[in-house]
Amino acid sequence: MSPLPAGSVIGILGGGQLGRMIGSAAARLGFDVHIYAPDDSPPAARVAALHWQGTYDDRDTLRQFAESCDVITYEFENIPVETVEFLVSLGATVRPSAKSLETSQDRLTEKRFLNEIGIETGAYEAVDTVSDLETALEALGARGILKTRREGYDGKGQVRLKTRDDLAAAFDAIGAVPAILEAFVPFEREISVVIARDADGNMAAFDPSMNDHSGGILRTSIAPSGLSDTIIAKAVSMGETLARETGHIGVLALELFVLEDGTLLANEFAPRVHNSGHWTPEGCLTGQFEQHVRAVAGWPLGPVTRVFDVEMQNLLGEEALAPPESFGADAVVTLYGKRDAKPGRKMGHVVRRTGRA
């Protein structure tokens, strides 16, 4: 596909805040944006040229959407693989491909894939029954985190376990669905590599950020991470391997645990722009949303030089309703346009530049 000229249409599957920020970046580069989402007036649709409202198995509406777009991307990883495959069967260009999507949708498949391409993870066991859970917990040292294999995010669909816990109740709590038990990892810190790959295989990685989670939800990301150049280079190399082996086109994020001795273990990856990269538009010459648009549109990747030290903080629930001045004069606030400030819901984020890089 030749580079798309300004005025072309970029379609986005999904209508959440990531689609809203991708769409805004695309509009700034001169593209029109069409959103496909089943919801009525989702956040992304309200900054787009057109909103196609339909379910992800509505083939008639999907066909019309595909005919209106020059390239299609997606903003979250739970888009059905069948939807992407159908769009491709119509002749649509979808970036990233279904492989990135399919691999990341199932935690067991994801772990196995990462191991197969040489990226080490913590120990894990497949769990389909309570009996499996008992065996897995014993194998992993009497402690672990039980997670559904599919869906679940921001701490949902997971339970921390010890041997004396009620395992049947824990399995029921996640819906008694196929699951994975992950061993506890004694990490010193968590980081993520946000990296872009274009259709020619060129890659550009942002500085890894140090991430802090609470209740399974990302609260802050800080760049630089404070890690040595050696560890950073290894982390970026792991991200490059992942992008190359999936044939990914666009931005992806690889979350990593850093052990006290500097060992890196992969936690999971997201085949899309990522919450831990929300600082990049304010901290770098090119932000992750513009970079994703560039990659899927066939443009050269932009420079990812970090020009500021930054701290990004997620705004959850009613935190986003605070007066703008309360965030500080140096704060850049991004709100997602969500109408209900539910507890624990990501409503926006704030980025503070803490110094020159």
Side-chain angles (χ1 to χ4, degrees), residues 74-125:
Y74 46 85
E75 61 115 28
F76 74 112
E77 60 268 45
N78 289 326
I79 299 291
V81 172
E82 294 78 12
T83 298
V84 173
E85 291 175 340
F86 174 68
L87 292 169
V88 171
S89 75
L90 298 175
T93 300
V94 182
R95 294 175 168 174
S97 71
K99 181 175 182 178
S100 295
L101 199 63
E102 187 170 23
T103 304
S104 65
Q105 284 182 350
D106 184 308
R107 288 186 172 90
L108 182 59
T109 300
E110 177 183 52
K111 298 280 191 189
R112 288 172 172 169
F113 177 77
L114 289 170
N115 293 162
E116 287 169 1
I117 63 175
I119 296 178
E120 190 177 358
T121 64
Y124 60 90
E125 297 286 341

Short mmCIF file of all heavy atoms in Angstrom, two decimals, residues 74-125:
data_model
loop_
_atom_site.label_atom_id
_atom_site.label_comp_id
_atom_site.label_asym_id
_atom_site.label_seq_id
_atom_site.Cartn_x
_atom_site.Cartn_y
_atom_site.Cartn_z
N TYR A 74 -7.51 -0.87 14.88
CA TYR A 74 -8.38 -1.11 16.02
C TYR A 74 -7.76 -0.52 17.28
O TYR A 74 -6.54 -0.33 17.36
CB TYR A 74 -8.69 -2.60 16.22
CG TYR A 74 -7.51 -3.54 16.13
CD1 TYR A 74 -6.70 -3.79 17.23
CD2 TYR A 74 -7.22 -4.20 14.94
CE1 TYR A 74 -5.63 -4.66 17.15
CE2 TYR A 74 -6.15 -5.08 14.84
CZ TYR A 74 -5.36 -5.31 15.96
OH TYR A 74 -4.31 -6.18 15.88
N GLU A 75 -8.61 -0.21 18.26
CA GLU A 75 -8.14 0.51 19.44
C GLU A 75 -8.14 -0.33 20.71
O GLU A 75 -7.67 0.14 21.74
CB GLU A 75 -8.98 1.78 19.66
CG GLU A 75 -10.44 1.54 19.91
CD GLU A 75 -10.91 1.94 21.29
OE1 GLU A 75 -10.32 2.83 21.91
OE2 GLU A 75 -11.89 1.32 21.75
N PHE A 76 -8.65 -1.54 20.66
CA PHE A 76 -8.54 -2.42 21.82
C PHE A 76 -8.50 -3.87 21.35
O PHE A 76 -8.90 -4.18 20.22
CB PHE A 76 -9.67 -2.18 22.82
CG PHE A 76 -11.02 -2.70 22.42
CD1 PHE A 76 -11.61 -3.75 23.11
CD2 PHE A 76 -11.74 -2.12 21.38
CE1 PHE A 76 -12.88 -4.22 22.76
CE2 PHE A 76 -13.00 -2.57 21.03
CZ PHE A 76 -13.57 -3.63 21.71
N GLU A 77 -7.98 -4.76 22.21
CA GLU A 77 -7.64 -6.10 21.76
C GLU A 77 -8.77 -7.11 21.82
O GLU A 77 -8.56 -8.28 21.48
CB GLU A 77 -6.44 -6.65 22.54
CG GLU A 77 -6.63 -6.77 24.03
CD GLU A 77 -6.17 -5.54 24.77
OE1 GLU A 77 -6.48 -4.42 24.32
OE2 GLU A 77 -5.50 -5.69 25.79
N ASN A 78 -9.95 -6.70 22.23
CA ASN A 78 -11.06 -7.65 22.29
C ASN A 78 -12.01 -7.55 21.09
O ASN A 78 -13.13 -8.07 21.15
CB ASN A 78 -11.83 -7.50 23.61
CG ASN A 78 -11.01 -8.01 24.79
OD1 ASN A 78 -10.26 -8.98 24.65
ND2 ASN A 78 -11.12 -7.36 25.92
N ILE A 79 -11.56 -6.90 20.04
CA ILE A 79 -12.29 -6.98 18.76
C ILE A 79 -12.26 -8.44 18.30
O ILE A 79 -11.20 -9.07 18.29
CB ILE A 79 -11.62 -6.09 17.69
CG1 ILE A 79 -11.62 -4.62 18.10
CG2 ILE A 79 -12.27 -6.28 16.33
CD1 ILE A 79 -12.97 -3.97 18.12
N PRO A 80 -13.38 -9.03 17.93
CA PRO A 80 -13.35 -10.42 17.48
C PRO A 80 -12.42 -10.62 16.28
O PRO A 80 -12.43 -9.82 15.33
CB PRO A 80 -14.80 -10.70 17.09
CG PRO A 80 -15.61 -9.72 17.89
CD PRO A 80 -14.75 -8.48 17.97
N VAL A 81 -11.62 -11.66 16.35
CA VAL A 81 -10.72 -11.98 15.23
C VAL A 81 -11.54 -12.18 13.95
O VAL A 81 -11.11 -11.80 12.86
CB VAL A 81 -9.88 -13.22 15.57
CG1 VAL A 81 -9.10 -13.69 14.34
CG2 VAL A 81 -8.93 -12.93 16.72
N GLU A 82 -12.72 -12.78 14.09
CA GLU A 82 -13.57 -13.04 12.93
C GLU A 82 -13.97 -11.75 12.22
O GLU A 82 -14.13 -11.73 10.99
CB GLU A 82 -14.83 -13.80 13.37
CG GLU A 82 -14.59 -15.19 13.90
CD GLU A 82 -14.08 -15.20 15.34
OE1 GLU A 82 -14.13 -14.13 16.01
OE2 GLU A 82 -13.63 -16.27 15.80
N THR A 83 -14.10 -10.67 12.99
CA THR A 83 -14.43 -9.38 12.39
C THR A 83 -13.31 -8.90 11.48
O THR A 83 -13.54 -8.47 10.34
CB THR A 83 -14.69 -8.32 13.49
OG1 THR A 83 -15.80 -8.74 14.28
CG2 THR A 83 -14.97 -6.96 12.89
N VAL A 84 -12.08 -9.00 11.98
CA VAL A 84 -10.92 -8.58 11.18
C VAL A 84 -10.78 -9.47 9.95
O VAL A 84 -10.54 -8.99 8.83
CB VAL A 84 -9.64 -8.61 12.03
CG1 VAL A 84 -8.41 -8.35 11.17
CG2 VAL A 84 -9.72 -7.58 13.15
N GLU A 85 -10.94 -10.77 10.13
CA GLU A 85 -10.81 -11.68 9.00
C GLU A 85 -11.88 -11.41 7.94
O GLU A 85 -11.60 -11.50 6.73
CB GLU A 85 -10.91 -13.13 9.49
CG GLU A 85 -9.70 -13.55 10.33
CD GLU A 85 -9.84 -14.94 10.91
OE1 GLU A 85 -10.99 -15.43 11.01
OE2 GLU A 85 -8.81 -15.53 11.28
N PHE A 86 -13.08 -11.06 8.36
CA PHE A 86 -14.14 -10.73 7.41
C PHE A 86 -13.78 -9.47 6.63
O PHE A 86 -13.92 -9.42 5.40
CB PHE A 86 -15.47 -10.54 8.12
CG PHE A 86 -16.58 -10.07 7.22
CD1 PHE A 86 -17.09 -10.89 6.22
CD2 PHE A 86 -17.11 -8.79 7.36
CE1 PHE A 86 -18.10 -10.45 5.37
CE2 PHE A 86 -18.12 -8.34 6.53
CZ PHE A 86 -18.62 -9.17 5.53
N LEU A 87 -13.29 -8.45 7.31
CA LEU A 87 -12.91 -7.21 6.64
C LEU A 87 -11.79 -7.47 5.63
O LEU A 87 -11.81 -6.94 4.50
CB LEU A 87 -12.46 -6.17 7.67
CG LEU A 87 -13.57 -5.63 8.59
CD1 LEU A 87 -12.97 -4.83 9.73
CD2 LEU A 87 -14.56 -4.79 7.82
N VAL A 88 -10.83 -8.29 6.00
CA VAL A 88 -9.74 -8.63 5.08
C VAL A 88 -10.28 -9.39 3.87
O VAL A 88 -9.84 -9.17 2.73
CB VAL A 88 -8.65 -9.44 5.81
CG1 VAL A 88 -7.61 -9.99 4.82
CG2 VAL A 88 -7.96 -8.58 6.87
N SER A 89 -11.25 -10.26 4.10
CA SER A 89 -11.84 -11.03 2.98
C SER A 89 -12.54 -10.12 1.98
O SER A 89 -12.70 -10.48 0.81
CB SER A 89 -12.83 -12.07 3.52
OG SER A 89 -14.06 -11.47 3.93
N LEU A 90 -12.94 -8.93 2.43
CA LEU A 90 -13.57 -7.95 1.54
C LEU A 90 -12.54 -7.15 0.74
O LEU A 90 -12.90 -6.35 -0.12
CB LEU A 90 -14.43 -6.99 2.35
CG LEU A 90 -15.61 -7.58 3.12
CD1 LEU A 90 -16.29 -6.50 3.96
CD2 LEU A 90 -16.62 -8.21 2.17
N GLY A 91 -11.26 -7.37 1.07
CA GLY A 91 -10.20 -6.62 0.40
C GLY A 91 -9.71 -5.43 1.20
O GLY A 91 -8.88 -4.66 0.71
N ALA A 92 -10.20 -5.26 2.42
CA ALA A 92 -9.77 -4.13 3.26
C ALA A 92 -8.36 -4.36 3.79
O ALA A 92 -7.96 -5.50 4.05
CB ALA A 92 -10.74 -3.93 4.42
N THR A 93 -7.62 -3.28 3.93
CA THR A 93 -6.32 -3.32 4.58
C THR A 93 -6.53 -3.05 6.06
O THR A 93 -7.01 -1.99 6.44
CB THR A 93 -5.36 -2.27 4.00
OG1 THR A 93 -5.18 -2.53 2.59
CG2 THR A 93 -4.02 -2.29 4.70
N VAL A 94 -6.20 -4.04 6.90
CA VAL A 94 -6.35 -3.90 8.34
C VAL A 94 -4.97 -3.98 8.98
O VAL A 94 -4.24 -4.96 8.79
CB VAL A 94 -7.26 -4.99 8.94
CG1 VAL A 94 -7.42 -4.78 10.44
CG2 VAL A 94 -8.63 -4.98 8.26
N ARG A 95 -4.62 -2.94 9.72
CA ARG A 95 -3.32 -2.87 10.40
C ARG A 95 -3.54 -2.46 11.85
O ARG A 95 -4.20 -1.46 12.09
CB ARG A 95 -2.41 -1.85 9.70
CG ARG A 95 -2.00 -2.25 8.30
CD ARG A 95 -1.22 -1.16 7.61
NE ARG A 95 -0.60 -1.67 6.37
CZ ARG A 95 0.05 -0.90 5.50
NH1 ARG A 95 0.14 0.41 5.73
NH2 ARG A 95 0.60 -1.42 4.43
N PRO A 96 -3.01 -3.26 12.81
CA PRO A 96 -2.24 -4.50 12.69
C PRO A 96 -3.12 -5.65 12.21
O PRO A 96 -4.34 -5.54 12.17
CB PRO A 96 -1.76 -4.75 14.13
CG PRO A 96 -1.96 -3.47 14.85
CD PRO A 96 -3.13 -2.80 14.20
N SER A 97 -2.47 -6.78 11.89
CA SER A 97 -3.18 -7.93 11.36
C SER A 97 -3.88 -8.69 12.49
O SER A 97 -3.69 -8.41 13.68
CB SER A 97 -2.21 -8.87 10.64
OG SER A 97 -1.37 -9.51 11.60
N ALA A 98 -4.63 -9.70 12.09
CA ALA A 98 -5.35 -10.53 13.06
C ALA A 98 -4.40 -11.33 13.95
O ALA A 98 -4.78 -11.73 15.05
CB ALA A 98 -6.30 -11.47 12.33
N LYS A 99 -3.16 -11.55 13.52
CA LYS A 99 -2.24 -12.36 14.33
C LYS A 99 -1.95 -11.70 15.66
O LYS A 99 -1.96 -12.35 16.71
CB LYS A 99 -0.94 -12.63 13.58
CG LYS A 99 0.02 -13.50 14.38
CD LYS A 99 1.26 -13.89 13.61
CE LYS A 99 2.16 -14.79 14.44
NZ LYS A 99 3.37 -15.23 13.70
N SER A 100 -1.67 -10.40 15.65
CA SER A 100 -1.41 -9.68 16.90
C SER A 100 -2.63 -9.75 17.80
O SER A 100 -2.52 -9.95 19.02
CB SER A 100 -1.07 -8.22 16.61
OG SER A 100 0.13 -8.10 15.89
N LEU A 101 -3.78 -9.60 17.21
CA LEU A 101 -5.04 -9.60 17.95
C LEU A 101 -5.28 -10.97 18.59
O LEU A 101 -5.51 -11.09 19.80
CB LEU A 101 -6.18 -9.26 16.99
CG LEU A 101 -7.50 -8.78 17.54
CD1 LEU A 101 -7.35 -7.46 18.29
CD2 LEU A 101 -8.50 -8.61 16.39
N GLU A 102 -5.19 -12.02 17.76
CA GLU A 102 -5.49 -13.37 18.24
C GLU A 102 -4.53 -13.82 19.32
O GLU A 102 -4.93 -14.43 20.31
CB GLU A 102 -5.46 -14.34 17.05
CG GLU A 102 -5.91 -15.74 17.39
CD GLU A 102 -6.07 -16.59 16.15
OE1 GLU A 102 -5.45 -16.28 15.11
OE2 GLU A 102 -6.84 -17.58 16.20
N THR A 103 -3.25 -13.51 19.17
CA THR A 103 -2.25 -13.93 20.13
C THR A 103 -2.47 -13.30 21.49
O THR A 103 -2.30 -13.93 22.53
CB THR A 103 -0.84 -13.59 19.62
OG1 THR A 103 -0.64 -14.18 18.33
CG2 THR A 103 0.23 -14.10 20.57
N SER A 104 -2.87 -12.03 21.50
CA SER A 104 -2.99 -11.30 22.76
C SER A 104 -4.33 -11.52 23.47
O SER A 104 -4.48 -11.15 24.63
CB SER A 104 -2.80 -9.80 22.52
OG SER A 104 -3.84 -9.29 21.71
N GLN A 105 -5.29 -12.10 22.79
CA GLN A 105 -6.63 -12.25 23.37
C GLN A 105 -6.73 -13.38 24.38
O GLN A 105 -7.63 -13.38 25.22
CB GLN A 105 -7.68 -12.46 22.26
CG GLN A 105 -8.02 -11.21 21.51
CD GLN A 105 -9.09 -11.43 20.46
OE1 GLN A 105 -9.46 -12.57 20.16
NE2 GLN A 105 -9.60 -10.35 19.89
N ASP A 106 -5.84 -14.33 24.32
CA ASP A 106 -5.86 -15.49 25.20
C ASP A 106 -4.55 -15.51 25.98
O ASP A 106 -3.47 -15.63 25.40
CB ASP A 106 -6.02 -16.77 24.37
CG ASP A 106 -6.16 -18.03 25.22
OD1 ASP A 106 -5.29 -18.25 26.09
OD2 ASP A 106 -7.11 -18.79 25.01
N ARG A 107 -4.63 -15.40 27.30
CA ARG A 107 -3.42 -15.28 28.11
C ARG A 107 -2.52 -16.52 28.01
O ARG A 107 -1.30 -16.39 28.08
CB ARG A 107 -3.79 -15.00 29.56
CG ARG A 107 -4.32 -13.60 29.80
CD ARG A 107 -4.53 -13.32 31.29
NE ARG A 107 -4.86 -11.91 31.49
CZ ARG A 107 -6.09 -11.41 31.48
NH1 ARG A 107 -7.12 -12.24 31.26
NH2 ARG A 107 -6.31 -10.14 31.67
N LEU A 108 -3.11 -17.69 27.87
CA LEU A 108 -2.29 -18.89 27.74
C LEU A 108 -1.58 -18.91 26.40
O LEU A 108 -0.37 -19.18 26.31
CB LEU A 108 -3.15 -20.14 27.91
CG LEU A 108 -2.42 -21.48 27.85
CD1 LEU A 108 -1.35 -21.57 28.93
CD2 LEU A 108 -3.42 -22.64 27.96
N THR A 109 -2.32 -18.61 25.33
CA THR A 109 -1.71 -18.53 24.00
C THR A 109 -0.61 -17.48 23.99
O THR A 109 0.47 -17.69 23.41
CB THR A 109 -2.78 -18.17 22.95
OG1 THR A 109 -3.79 -19.18 22.94
CG2 THR A 109 -2.18 -18.05 21.56
N GLU A 110 -0.86 -16.36 24.63
CA GLU A 110 0.11 -15.27 24.68
C GLU A 110 1.40 -15.70 25.36
O GLU A 110 2.50 -15.47 24.84
CB GLU A 110 -0.53 -14.10 25.42
CG GLU A 110 0.37 -12.89 25.62
CD GLU A 110 -0.33 -11.81 26.44
OE1 GLU A 110 -0.83 -12.13 27.54
OE2 GLU A 110 -0.36 -10.67 25.99
N LYS A 111 1.28 -16.32 26.54
CA LYS A 111 2.48 -16.76 27.27
C LYS A 111 3.28 -17.77 26.45
O LYS A 111 4.52 -17.69 26.36
CB LYS A 111 2.07 -17.40 28.60
CG LYS A 111 1.35 -16.48 29.56
CD LYS A 111 2.28 -15.58 30.33
CE LYS A 111 1.51 -14.88 31.45
NZ LYS A 111 2.31 -13.83 32.09
N ARG A 112 2.57 -18.72 25.86
CA ARG A 112 3.27 -19.74 25.07
C ARG A 112 3.97 -19.12 23.87
O ARG A 112 5.10 -19.49 23.54
CB ARG A 112 2.28 -20.81 24.62
CG ARG A 112 1.80 -21.72 25.75
CD ARG A 112 0.68 -22.64 25.32
NE ARG A 112 0.37 -23.63 26.35
CZ ARG A 112 -0.70 -24.42 26.34
NH1 ARG A 112 -1.57 -24.34 25.32
NH2 ARG A 112 -0.91 -25.28 27.30
N PHE A 113 3.31 -18.17 23.22
CA PHE A 113 3.92 -17.51 22.07
C PHE A 113 5.18 -16.75 22.49
O PHE A 113 6.22 -16.83 21.81
CB PHE A 113 2.91 -16.56 21.42
CG PHE A 113 3.48 -15.78 20.27
CD1 PHE A 113 3.66 -16.36 19.03
CD2 PHE A 113 3.84 -14.44 20.43
CE1 PHE A 113 4.19 -15.64 17.96
CE2 PHE A 113 4.37 -13.71 19.38
CZ PHE A 113 4.55 -14.31 18.15
N LEU A 114 5.08 -15.98 23.57
CA LEU A 114 6.24 -15.23 24.04
C LEU A 114 7.41 -16.17 24.31
O LEU A 114 8.56 -15.89 23.93
CB LEU A 114 5.88 -14.44 25.30
CG LEU A 114 4.95 -13.24 25.10
CD1 LEU A 114 4.46 -12.69 26.44
CD2 LEU A 114 5.63 -12.13 24.30
N ASN A 115 7.15 -17.29 24.97
CA ASN A 115 8.22 -18.24 25.24
C ASN A 115 8.80 -18.83 23.97
O ASN A 115 10.01 -19.01 23.84
CB ASN A 115 7.70 -19.37 26.14
CG ASN A 115 7.32 -18.92 27.54
OD1 ASN A 115 6.60 -19.62 28.25
ND2 ASN A 115 7.78 -17.75 27.96
N GLU A 116 7.93 -19.11 22.99
CA GLU A 116 8.39 -19.69 21.72
C GLU A 116 9.32 -18.77 20.96
O GLU A 116 10.21 -19.23 20.24
CB GLU A 116 7.18 -20.04 20.84
CG GLU A 116 6.40 -21.25 21.33
CD GLU A 116 5.08 -21.41 20.60
OE1 GLU A 116 4.79 -20.58 19.70
OE2 GLU A 116 4.31 -22.34 20.94
N ILE A 117 9.15 -17.45 21.10
CA ILE A 117 10.01 -16.51 20.36
C ILE A 117 11.17 -16.01 21.23
O ILE A 117 11.85 -15.06 20.87
CB ILE A 117 9.20 -15.32 19.81
CG1 ILE A 117 8.59 -14.47 20.93
CG2 ILE A 117 8.13 -15.81 18.84
CD1 ILE A 117 7.89 -13.21 20.42
N GLY A 118 11.38 -16.69 22.35
CA GLY A 118 12.55 -16.39 23.17
C GLY A 118 12.37 -15.32 24.21
O GLY A 118 13.36 -14.82 24.76
N ILE A 119 11.13 -14.94 24.51
CA ILE A 119 10.87 -13.93 25.54
C ILE A 119 10.39 -14.66 26.79
O ILE A 119 9.34 -15.31 26.80
CB ILE A 119 9.82 -12.91 25.06
CG1 ILE A 119 10.38 -12.13 23.87
CG2 ILE A 119 9.44 -11.95 26.20
CD1 ILE A 119 9.40 -11.12 23.28
N GLU A 120 11.18 -14.56 27.85
CA GLU A 120 10.89 -15.29 29.08
C GLU A 120 9.76 -14.64 29.86
O GLU A 120 9.64 -13.41 29.92
CB GLU A 120 12.15 -15.34 29.95
CG GLU A 120 12.06 -16.26 31.14
CD GLU A 120 13.35 -16.34 31.93
OE1 GLU A 120 14.34 -15.69 31.52
OE2 GLU A 120 13.36 -17.04 32.96
N THR A 121 8.92 -15.47 30.46
CA THR A 121 7.83 -15.02 31.32
C THR A 121 8.00 -15.67 32.69
O THR A 121 8.84 -16.55 32.88
CB THR A 121 6.45 -15.42 30.76
OG1 THR A 121 6.36 -16.85 30.73
CG2 THR A 121 6.25 -14.87 29.36
N GLY A 122 7.16 -15.25 33.64
CA GLY A 122 7.08 -15.99 34.89
C GLY A 122 6.45 -17.34 34.65
O GLY A 122 5.85 -17.60 33.59
N ALA A 123 6.56 -18.21 35.64
CA ALA A 123 5.96 -19.54 35.51
C ALA A 123 4.44 -19.44 35.50
O ALA A 123 3.86 -18.53 36.09
CB ALA A 123 6.43 -20.43 36.66
N TYR A 124 3.79 -20.37 34.82
CA TYR A 124 2.33 -20.36 34.72
C TYR A 124 1.82 -21.77 34.47
O TYR A 124 2.57 -22.66 34.04
CB TYR A 124 1.87 -19.43 33.59
CG TYR A 124 2.39 -19.83 32.23
CD1 TYR A 124 1.67 -20.71 31.41
CD2 TYR A 124 3.60 -19.35 31.76
CE1 TYR A 124 2.15 -21.09 30.16
CE2 TYR A 124 4.09 -19.72 30.52
CZ TYR A 124 3.37 -20.59 29.73
OH TYR A 124 3.86 -20.97 28.50
N GLU A 125 0.54 -21.97 34.74
CA GLU A 125 -0.12 -23.26 34.49
C GLU A 125 -1.51 -23.00 33.94
O GLU A 125 -2.19 -22.06 34.36
CB GLU A 125 -0.24 -24.08 35.78
CG GLU A 125 1.09 -24.48 36.41
CD GLU A 125 1.80 -25.60 35.67
OE1 GLU A 125 1.11 -26.31 34.89
OE2 GLU A 125 3.02 -25.77 35.86
#
